[in-house]
């Protein structure tokens, strides 16, 4: 049995007395009474002492009660201020009259007739007054006859006092008789103690492993950033180069270069954040114009109508990172290209738990000689599998800038098949104006949805306006990958 | 998106198969099942396939896909002898007219609802909210040909649908619900488009409202169709889709002579495509014969043209076929997307992290090492948070949204520090100390670049803590810097420093000004820092421009 130093000191102090009040022990040990009780309870757990708790009630004067302690209760003071009788009007001028008259009448000490107050003669002190006199004498009283009345009048208040009696048990006495080492226990070892070897002979404090330490919080990455990094890592592993670019895009790169017709609903101000700024069109924009108007040099008919350069210059907050993909391809038109990007995209949507005006999109593109639809499905399967979605299936889809288009779905326990992004092969109308001669496989993924699934969030806003405690408590390693 | 209601009984009759087969298979031609009900199913079709916006159109496609009836649907048209003139005065207003006569329709309430549903879906998908195309269907027997499409004075009056009294066209724009919805399409013109018959009775005020006179009811036997608009291709798409849908339901189609042109022809367009190109794109070996067979299931006319080509007839309602690859997608759908074997190409490529990501990663590593938690705040904010609360003047290059959706999000952030201050406010009730950092995009003058920022709030947060963190960050980013006293009003005078690199201020640190703390309703000192990452060696030269 390993006792703490404090327990040992308690036993040694208690030894000559056998039994003592904690307050007495505290004085002898030069410690606070509360601390001594703590030591005693620990020692009691080991069966070395018994701790007995006594609760006592006592009554002490209130502020008002203290005011009367010297001269007695107000009704007694006022009664003694006059002889046999006094006109009521004169009596009322006494400073305590207000309280006293009522009590004198209630106790039957006085009678009132024709405006004159007369003593009845039955003015002996009642139990309340006797109790009050005792209080005046000792400063406090125990419960007894009349005390309840004084409590009711607000003259005394109840106080609870707790006392502890600590007594040695036979086991404690036995241990004590064997002698105890009262040397100071050592907490943190010093350099000298370590070098000198003194640590060997020191009483080292032992710590209670069942007591949890104070909680510490490390600095760490946001849980969402960790998921983003995990996806980036997967794409690096698959040989992809990372892209980055502007949040603000001209309509040309956001829409026109992707063969979105100029009257497409996504290009209206209800769906997209437009800015007042204009940005000049890149050299060679005419090829995009021709593609829209009549299909350029391809088998396409184009959209027909007249293409407006003015409309293409309007700046928007990018609605997808595909605007970066097409610019990357325009700058690198020769195969092979494997590139990806994770970036914020913007939709003009009212904010609620499942809709935000801005969120992250992940996008991958693969351009190479002879890549085809089967390879698109291959990349998607591989990517989703590494993300932990083992079951993937594909359905026909529609996206304005891909043909064919495919909607991947993943199986999520408890939710069933969940649509997770879109994919396809860039239309020739998209690639041809930039001299890209080989098919471009492309897919995009709203990763905030993946984060919601992974982190078990119900409200997307938690990702961006995070509760610090949630970040602190979300483990760095999720245990999955 | 267009959600189409498909009543089972009608659909089963038209498609020649049972409802379960349709529900199981319709997603594989490109659709999402929205709701399965007792007597109908609601299906969402993609915006490039308006020909599927009716039960008749879906049945036509499903018959092919399921192998019940393959190849090009043939629609015969005969002349009605009716003429329809177009007033040259409409040239700058709404010049294009498409028309047809549809005879022997049998319309019950459900069929009328379905026809109205198709019209509305076409108004959305093809008509772009009636601007590009607006559709009117009329009881032909209530009026007398020939018909005239004219530019009319605005005070002409007639009884519009759903009203009992005559109204002038101007009144309609202010008093009729449809008038109010679509007034913006015509109100700037001196004259309004109007369709009248031989007796000058009004059929329609396109694109706003039809006249009550030609209301289509269950008693209607013959229909006059008008499609007006600004784009001929789109107008004819709408005519073709409506005519062929009603023809599928048993009606007969007759042509109308519009300014000497007999329309509609409902004739297919011809295309000759390469088998090898299709095989290459899809990654499956195909013969001309196989490819033709697959395309016939998608209701194309398709015959091999030698071994290497397929001659295709594209049905008149397939407005989505712009390019040969649109045909190849239909080959893939007929083949079954689920039947493709996924594969990875053999090419090797080398991964490359973007230099900005590498810098951001370094910032994250340093700041988490210092005990800071990462935050990922929104990039959209407002000028109160960004400037007023910070006691700062608005940056000249601040981008303001033209049509913000809330007062909270009106500008794109030019700095990160205010967003972190807002984050501290949101976490006011959480245990201190709180140390937060973020790294991310800011935009000025359309140029996107990156900053890092950090805040530390607790009763002992002070200048020294901010300076120490700024010093660590700069040293770890290999950024040789000097410090001068700052004048940034977001910080407390005498307790603020500017980080200077190559004579340029690239960052700031110090104690946040107490008035700024109060503006964010914070009660403890905040030590803060911000750094423009463009100063970091290795930051790419080309900016993120539009």
């Amino acid at each position: 049995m390993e006792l703490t130093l404090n327990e040992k000191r308690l036993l040694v102090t208690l030894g000559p007395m056998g039994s003592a009040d904690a307050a007495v022990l505290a004085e002898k040990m030069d410690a606070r009474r509360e601390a001594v009780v703590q030591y005693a309870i620990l020692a009691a757990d080991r069966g070395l002492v018994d701790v007995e708790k006594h609760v006592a009630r006592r009554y002490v004067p209130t502020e008002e009660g203290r005011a009367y302690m010297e001269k007695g209760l107000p009704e007694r003071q006022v009664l003694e201020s006059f002889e046999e009788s006094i006109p009521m009007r004169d009596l009322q001028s006494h400073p305590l009259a207000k309280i006293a008259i009522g009590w004198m009448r209630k106790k039957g000490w006085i009678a009132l007739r024709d405006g004159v107050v007369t003593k009845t003669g039955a003015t002996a002190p009642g139990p309340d007054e006797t109790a009050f006199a005792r209080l005046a004498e000792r400063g406090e009283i125990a419960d007894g006859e009349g005390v309840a009345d004084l409590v009711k009048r607000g003259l005394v208040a109840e106080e609870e006092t707790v006392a502890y009696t600590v007594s040695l048990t036979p086991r404690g006495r036995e241990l004590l008789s064997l002698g105890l080492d009262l040397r100071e226990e050592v907490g943190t070892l010093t350099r000298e103690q370590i070098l000198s070897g003194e640590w060997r002979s020191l009483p080292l404090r032992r710590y209670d492993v069942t007591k949890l330490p104070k909680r510490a919080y490390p600095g760490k990455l946001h849980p969402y950033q960790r998921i983003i990094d995990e996806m980036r890592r997967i794409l690096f592993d698959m040989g992809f180069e990372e892209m980055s670019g502007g949040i603000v895009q001209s309509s040309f790169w956001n829409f026109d270069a992707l063969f979105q017709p100029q009257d497409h609903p996504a290009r209206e101000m209800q769906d997209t954040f437009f800015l007042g700024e204009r940005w000049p069109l890149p050299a060679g924009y005419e090829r995009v114009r021709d593609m829209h108007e009549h299909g350029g040099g391809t088998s396409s008919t184009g959209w027909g109508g007249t293409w407006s350069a003015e409309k293409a210059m309007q700046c928007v907050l990018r609605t997808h990172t595909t605007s970066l993909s097409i610019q990357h391809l325009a700058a690198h038109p020769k195969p092979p290209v494997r590139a990806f990007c994770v970036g914020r995209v913007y939709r003009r949507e009212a904010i609620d738990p499942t809709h935000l005006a801005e969120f992250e999109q992940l996008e991958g593109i693969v351009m190479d000689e002879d890549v085809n639809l089967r390879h698109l499905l291959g990349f998607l399967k591989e990517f989703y599998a590494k993300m932990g979605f083992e079951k993937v299936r594909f359905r026909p889809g529609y996206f304005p800038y891909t043909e064919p288009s495919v909607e991947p779905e993943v199986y999520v326990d408890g939710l069933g098949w969940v649509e997770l992004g879109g994919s396809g092969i860039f239309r020739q109308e998209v690639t041809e104006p930039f001299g890209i001669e080989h098919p471009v496989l492309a897919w995009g993924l709203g990763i905030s949805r993946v984060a919601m699934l992974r982190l078990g969030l119900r409200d997307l806003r938690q990702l961006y306006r995070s509760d610090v405690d949630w970040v602190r408590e979300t483990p760095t390693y999720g245990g999955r990958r | 998106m267009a959600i189409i209601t498909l009543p089972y009984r009608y659909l089963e009759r038209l498609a020649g198969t049972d409802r379960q087969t349709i529900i199981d298979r319709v997603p594989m031609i490109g659709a999402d099942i929205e709701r399965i009900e007792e007597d109908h199913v609601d299906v969402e079709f993609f915006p490039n396939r308006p020909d599927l916006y009716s039960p008749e159109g879906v049945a036509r496609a499903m018959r092919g896909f399921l192998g019940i009836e393959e190849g090009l649907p043939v629609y015969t048209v005969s002349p009605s002898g009716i003429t329809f003139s177009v007033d040259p005065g409409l040239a700058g207003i709404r010049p294009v007219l498409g028309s047809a006569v549809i005879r022997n329709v049998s319309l019950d309430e459900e069929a009328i609802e379905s026809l109205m549903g198709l019209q509305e879906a076409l108004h959305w998908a093809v008509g772009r909210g009636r601007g590009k195309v607006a559709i009117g269907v009329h009881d032909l027997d209530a009026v007398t040909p020939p018909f005239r499409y004219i530019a009319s004075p605005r005070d002409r009056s007639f009884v519009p649908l759903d009203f009992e009294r005559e109204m002038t066209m101007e009144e309609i724009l202010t008093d009729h619900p449809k008038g109010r919805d679509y007034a913006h399409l015509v109100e700037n013109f001196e004259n309004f488009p109007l369709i009248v018959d031989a007796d000058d009775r009004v059929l329609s005020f396109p694109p706003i409202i039809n006249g009550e006179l030609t209301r289509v009811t269950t008693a209607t036997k013959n229909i006059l169709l008008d499609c007006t608009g600004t784009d001929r291709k789109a107008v004819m798409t709408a005519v073709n889709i409506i005519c062929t849908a009603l023809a599928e339901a048993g009606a007969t189609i007759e042509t109308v002579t519009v300014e000497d042109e007999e329309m509609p022809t409902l004739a297919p367009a011809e295309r000759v495509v390469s088998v090898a190109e299709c095989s290459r794109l899809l990654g499956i070996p195909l013969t001309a014969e196989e490819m033709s067979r697959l395309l016939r299931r998608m209701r194309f006319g398709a015959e091999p043209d030698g071994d290497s080509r397929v001659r295709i007839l594209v049905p008149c309602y397939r407005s989505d076929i712009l390019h040969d690859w649109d045909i190849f997608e239909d080959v893939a759908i007929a083949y079954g997307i689920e039947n493709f074997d996924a594969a990875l190409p053999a090419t090797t490529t080398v991964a490359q992290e973007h230099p900005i990501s590498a810098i951001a990663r370094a910032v994250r590593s340093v700041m988490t090492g210092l005990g800071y938690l990462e935050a990922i705040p929104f990039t959209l904010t407002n000028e109160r948070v960004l400037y007023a609360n910070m006691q700062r003047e608005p940056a000249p290059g601040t981008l303001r949204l033209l049509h913000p959706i809330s007062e909270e999000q009106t500008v794109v952030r030019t700095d990160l520090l205010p967003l972190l201050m807002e984050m501290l406010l949101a976490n006011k009730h959480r245990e201190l100390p709180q140390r937060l950092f973020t790294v991310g995009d800011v935009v000025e003058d359309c140029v996107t670049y990156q900053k890092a920022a950090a805040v530390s709030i607790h009763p002992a947060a002070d200048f020294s803590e901010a300076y120490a963190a700024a010093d660590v960050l700069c040293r770890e980013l290999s950024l040789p810097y000097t410090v001068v006293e700052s004048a940034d009003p977001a910080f407390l005078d005498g307790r603020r420093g500017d980080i200077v690199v190559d004579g340029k201020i690239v960052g700031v640190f110090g104690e946040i000004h107490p008035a700024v703390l109060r503006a964010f309703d914070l009660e403890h000192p905040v030590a803060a820092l911000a750094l423009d990452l463009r100063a970091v060696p290795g930051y790419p030269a080309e900016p993120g421009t539009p």
Side-chain angles (χ1 to χ4, degrees):
Chain A
M1 183 158 26
E2 281 299 336
L3 300 185
T4 65
L5 179 63
N6 286 322
E7 284 170 87
K8 291 178 192 166
R9 289 181 55 213
L10 174 76
L11 294 179
V12 169
T13 313
L14 194 55
M17 296 181 279
S19 170
D21 188 89
V24 175
L25 288 168
E27 210 181 321
K28 289 190 186 293
M29 289 169 69
D30 193 21
R32 288 180 306 110
R33 192 184 73 138
E34 290 71 23
V36 170
V37 172
Q38 277 306 312
Y39 311 152
I41 288 170
L42 279 178
D45 282 348
R46 308 186 202 271
L48 303 175
V49 299
D50 285 326
V51 180
E52 226 178 305
K53 182 176 173 184
H54 313 278
V55 179
R57 254 176 272 286
R58 58 176 197 152
Y59 296 85
V60 294
T62 62
E63 200 176 327
E64 189 186 354
R66 239 189 323 272
Y68 306 143
M69 272 169 63
E70 200 176 316
K71 294 182 176 167
L73 292 175
E75 59 268 31
R76 177 64 63 192
Q77 291 185 44
V78 173
L79 187 76
E80 283 169 358
S81 71
F82 63 97
E83 297 302 321
E84 276 315 300
S85 64
I86 186 169
M88 185 55 137
R89 185 142 17 109
D90 293 353
L91 186 62
Q92 275 169 342
S93 65
H94 192 284
L96 292 173
K98 254 199 187 126
I99 311 166
I101 293 172
W103 281 108
M104 289 192 295
R105 294 183 70 168
K106 202 170 169 188
K107 289 183 171 176
W109 290 354
I110 55 169
L112 174 65
R113 195 181 303 147
D114 299 334
V116 175
V117 173
T118 312
K119 289 186 182 169
T120 59
T123 58
D128 58 336
E129 215 177 341
T130 316
F132 194 74
R134 249 189 352 260
L135 175 74
E137 208 172 293
R138 301 176 199 163
E140 61 170 76
I141 43 173
D143 203 359
E145 210 188 351
V147 174
D149 291 332
L150 295 177
V151 172
K152 225 180 281 172
R153 284 181 70 173
L155 300 179
V156 299
E158 187 185 291
E159 248 186 35
E160 210 180 73
T161 56
V162 182
Y164 294 89
T165 307
V166 186
S167 324
L168 271 179
T169 62
R171 229 174 123 194
R173 191 169 294 286
E174 188 192 326
L175 188 70
L176 192 57
S177 67
L178 296 174
L180 291 171
D181 182 355
L182 284 183
R183 283 178 304 165
E184 196 69 42
E185 280 181 327
V186 171
T188 308
L189 287 169
T190 65
R191 177 173 181 272
E192 286 71 28
Q193 288 163 348
I194 293 167
L195 292 181
S196 66
E198 188 194 349
W199 61 270
R200 282 181 236 273
S201 57
L202 289 173
L204 297 177
R205 178 180 306 145
R206 299 185 63 87
Y207 291 95
D208 181 356
V209 295
T210 62
K211 263 203 210 147
L212 288 177
K214 179 178 159 39
R215 216 159 223 234
Y217 297 107
K220 59 179 169 179
L221 297 187
H222 195 280
Y224 188 27
Q225 184 62 41
R226 283 201 316 273
I227 291 174
I228 290 172
D229 282 344
E230 181 186 324
M231 293 187 193
R232 292 174 63 239
R233 171 66 194 268
I234 292 169
L235 287 158
F236 288 137
D237 288 352
M238 291 167 76
F240 282 68
E241 175 186 356
E242 188 173 29
M243 304 180 281
S244 172
I247 283 175
V248 176
Q249 294 287 321
S250 61
S251 290
F252 180 84
W253 287 117
N254 196 74
F255 296 122
D256 294 287
L258 295 166
F259 198 55
Q260 293 238 56
Q262 292 198 319
D263 64 354
H264 193 277
R267 303 185 64 158
E268 282 166 22
M269 70 96 170
Q270 285 94 322
D271 295 325
T272 298
F273 285 120
F274 279 91
L275 302 165
E277 283 70 12
R278 296 259 179 297
W279 199 264
L281 300 178
Y285 78 88
E286 297 86 353
R287 290 163 62 111
V288 169
R289 176 198 64 199
D290 293 350
M291 189 58 76
H292 277 250
E293 291 187 347
H294 53 75
T298 69
S299 68
S300 178
T301 61
W303 294 115
T306 309
W307 185 83
S308 155
E310 177 56 29
K311 230 183 148 168
M313 285 191 267
Q314 281 185 318
C315 286
V316 300
L317 298 186
R318 65 186 180 211
T319 61
H320 45 203
T321 45
T322 319
S323 51
L324 303 185
S325 299
I326 186 62
Q327 287 175 78
H328 184 83
L329 287 165
H332 306 90
K334 296 283 169 245
V337 170
R338 268 186 213 182
F340 80 96
C341 155
V342 179
R344 197 118 350 146
V345 298
Y346 300 80
R347 303 282 162 85
R348 195 171 172 279
E349 292 219 50
I351 296 187
D352 69 28
T354 56
H355 296 90
L356 298 177
E358 51 178 303
F359 51 90
E360 269 71 22
Q361 193 179 48
L362 178 148
E363 171 146 320
I365 48 170
V366 174
M367 186 260 283
D368 204 352
E369 284 176 53
D370 293 326
V371 288
N372 58 48
L373 185 61
R374 288 175 53 209
H375 297 134
L376 175 66
L377 306 187
F379 276 110
L380 287 166
K381 264 210 156 125
E382 186 72 22
F383 176 74
Y384 286 120
K386 282 184 186 284
M387 288 282 305
F389 299 109
E390 297 295 336
K391 283 197 255 177
V392 186
R393 70 176 187 187
F394 303 103
R395 286 198 298 129
Y398 169 72
F399 305 98
Y401 35 89
T402 54
E403 192 77 22
S405 304
V406 177
E407 279 183 7
E409 291 180 320
V410 299
Y411 191 81
V412 180
D413 283 335
L415 290 178
W417 290 100
V418 177
E419 199 183 311
L420 209 57
S423 70
I425 301 178
F426 272 175
R427 299 186 69 97
Q428 247 184 359
E429 289 97 327
V430 174
T431 53
E432 201 267 354
F434 301 102
I436 301 154
E437 290 169 357
H438 300 285
V440 178
L441 317 177
W443 72 93
L445 173 64
I447 54 180
S448 49
R449 304 237 163 245
V450 180
M452 262 178 115
L453 290 174
R454 278 281 199 84
L455 297 167
L457 293 180
R458 297 242 175 92
D459 191 336
L460 267 178
R461 289 171 291 193
Q462 177 70 278
L463 294 177
Y464 301 93
R465 199 162 284 169
S466 307
D467 183 338
V468 161
D469 274 8
W470 173 71
V471 180
R472 282 171 174 161
E473 300 297 339
T474 304
T476 297
Y477 178 69
R480 289 196 46 262
R481 289 185 51 81
Chain B
M1 286 286 169
I3 294 173
I4 309 302
T5 295
L6 302 173
Y8 297 131
R9 277 222 325 250
Y10 187 49
L11 189 67
E12 283 175 339
R13 184 158 61 77
L14 286 171
T17 184
D18 63 293
R19 65 191 67 177
Q20 201 50 49
T21 305
I22 294 170
I23 290 172
D24 288 347
R25 299 294 288 156
V26 80
M28 295 315 291
I29 64 167
D32 290 315
I33 306 272
E34 284 291 314
R35 263 178 307 277
I36 296 175
E37 301 283 355
E38 185 87 351
D39 62 339
H40 70 272
V41 57
D42 290 333
V43 182
E44 181 186 322
F45 289 98
F46 299 136
N48 64 330
R49 290 294 304 271
D51 59 297
L52 297 175
Y53 292 176
S54 66
E56 295 85 358
V58 174
R60 176 173 59 204
M62 288 309 288
R63 285 203 305 274
F65 190 59
L66 298 171
I68 297 165
E69 177 189 70
E70 300 184 351
L72 184 78
V74 178
Y75 303 101
T76 53
V77 286
S78 50
S80 69
I82 292 172
T83 61
F84 211 144
S85 65
V86 178
D87 184 343
L90 288 160
I93 304 175
R94 199 171 177 82
V96 183
L97 172 70
S99 183
V101 164
I102 302 150
R103 291 202 184 270
N104 306 319
V105 296
S106 54
L107 299 170
D108 53 15
E109 290 297 342
E110 206 172 48
I112 291 180
E113 213 167 284
S114 165
L115 179 58
M116 297 302 144
L118 172 59
Q119 249 191 80
E120 277 321 299
L122 291 175
H123 275 152
W124 170 79
V126 182
R128 303 288 192 232
R130 298 195 186 189
K132 206 171 177 182
V133 183
I135 303 156
V137 290
H138 308 277
D139 187 336
L140 176 63
D141 301 319
V143 283
T144 315
F147 303 107
R148 291 181 298 136
Y149 177 36
I150 58 170
S152 160
R154 298 160 64 124
D155 57 0
R156 172 77 189 258
S157 59
F158 67 98
V159 181
L161 263 184
D162 302 327
F163 273 62
E164 287 172 1
R165 64 181 177 90
E166 283 206 349
M167 298 167 85
T168 67
M169 292 199 276
E170 283 193 320
E171 272 181 281
I172 288 172
L173 293 193
T174 54
D175 298 349
H176 195 287
K178 294 285 178 206
R180 284 194 294 269
D181 288 352
Y182 298 103
H184 63 278
L185 296 173
V186 292
E187 62 195 356
N188 293 330
F189 298 118
E190 196 178 323
N191 290 314
F192 286 163
L194 193 72
I195 296 172
V196 294
D197 77 346
D199 301 328
D200 210 28
R201 291 178 298 176
V202 173
L203 281 76
S204 175
F205 168 17
I208 311 296
I209 188 81
N210 282 353
E212 185 63 38
L213 176 68
T214 54
R215 177 189 280 279
V216 170
T217 68
T218 50
T220 301
K221 287 280 153 262
N222 301 300
I223 286 177
L224 175 73
L225 171 70
D226 83 73
C227 292
T228 62
T230 54
D231 181 287
R232 187 186 148 81
K233 194 168 145 191
V235 164
M236 289 318 294
T237 296
V239 170
N240 291 344
I241 287 174
I242 291 177
C243 286
T244 59
L246 289 171
E248 290 287 338
T252 51
I253 312 299
E254 293 181 357
T255 57
V256 172
T257 310
V258 176
E259 292 291 299
D260 298 330
E261 183 191 346
E262 284 285 303
M263 67 166 68
T265 65
L266 305 186
E270 200 181 277
R271 242 174 214 276
V272 178
V273 300
S274 152
V275 177
E277 191 183 349
C278 181
S279 286
R280 243 192 347 263
L281 188 70
L282 301 185
I284 47 173
L286 287 168
T287 63
E289 192 50 60
E290 247 179 303
M291 190 169 153
S292 304
R293 189 180 54 76
L294 290 169
L295 283 169
R296 285 195 295 270
R297 294 182 62 183
M298 301 305 286
R299 305 311 304 263
F300 293 94
E303 294 299 335
D305 180 12
D307 287 342
S308 61
R309 290 139 95 78
V310 175
R311 182 173 300 275
I312 292 162
L313 296 173
V314 180
C316 63
Y317 52 80
R318 285 298 299 270
S319 57
D320 62 308
I321 305 294
L322 303 179
H323 186 278
D324 291 351
W325 287 17
D326 293 299
I327 306 264
F328 301 160
E329 178 177 67
D330 273 44
V331 173
I333 291 171
Y335 186 84
I337 296 289
E338 71 274 33
N339 297 325
F340 280 81
D341 279 331
L344 285 173
T347 314
T348 302
T349 51
V350 177
Q352 174 72 52
E353 185 178 36
H354 195 277
I356 291 176
S357 293
I359 293 170
R361 192 158 47 77
V363 170
R364 289 191 181 101
S365 162
V366 173
M367 295 315 293
T368 54
L370 283 174
Y372 283 70
L373 282 185
E374 188 180 21
I376 307 184
F378 287 123
T379 54
L380 298 179
T381 181
N382 57 70
E383 295 185 70
R384 177 178 48 78
V385 169
L386 206 51
Y387 303 122
N389 283 2
M390 298 293 285
Q391 306 194 106
R392 286 171 170 170
E393 287 302 315
T398 308
L399 292 184
R400 293 170 178 83
L401 304 182
L402 284 184
H403 310 284
I405 204 154
S406 84
E407 288 181 5
E408 287 300 300
Q409 302 196 315
T410 56
V411 301
V412 186
R413 68 189 186 192
T414 53
D415 193 38
L416 302 178
L417 208 44
L419 283 301
L420 288 180
M421 295 296 288
E422 211 181 18
M423 199 78 79
L424 290 180
L425 167 59
N427 284 286
K428 199 177 162 182
H429 53 300
R430 295 303 187 198
E431 189 183 330
L432 298 184
Q434 287 174 22
R435 293 190 173 88
L436 304 179
F437 81 96
T438 187
V439 50
D441 292 340
V442 296
V443 181
E444 267 181 282
D445 289 323
C446 292
V447 177
T448 302
Y449 64 98
Q450 290 69 34
K451 283 185 179 177
V455 291
S456 169
I457 185 168
H458 57 101
D462 62 6
F463 177 80
S464 305
E465 181 180 348
Y467 201 164
D471 175 58
V472 168
L473 185 60
C474 289
R475 280 189 285 121
E476 293 296 327
L477 293 176
S478 304
L479 190 61
Y481 74 102
T482 54
V483 172
V484 297
E485 240 185 64
S486 172
D488 188 332
F491 293 84
L492 198 52
D493 185 27
R495 300 182 179 194
R496 54 188 176 182
D498 281 335
I499 302 170
V500 179
V501 174
D502 293 335
K504 258 179 62 185
I505 296 175
V506 299
V508 62
F509 64 86
E511 277 179 46
I512 294 291
H513 196 284
V516 173
L517 296 177
R518 292 312 299 142
F520 283 101
D521 200 17
L522 297 174
E523 296 170 6
H524 294 284
V526 171
L529 70 92
L531 183 66
D532 182 341
L533 296 181
R534 287 178 297 186
V536 177
Y539 189 92
E542 65 277 16
T545 56

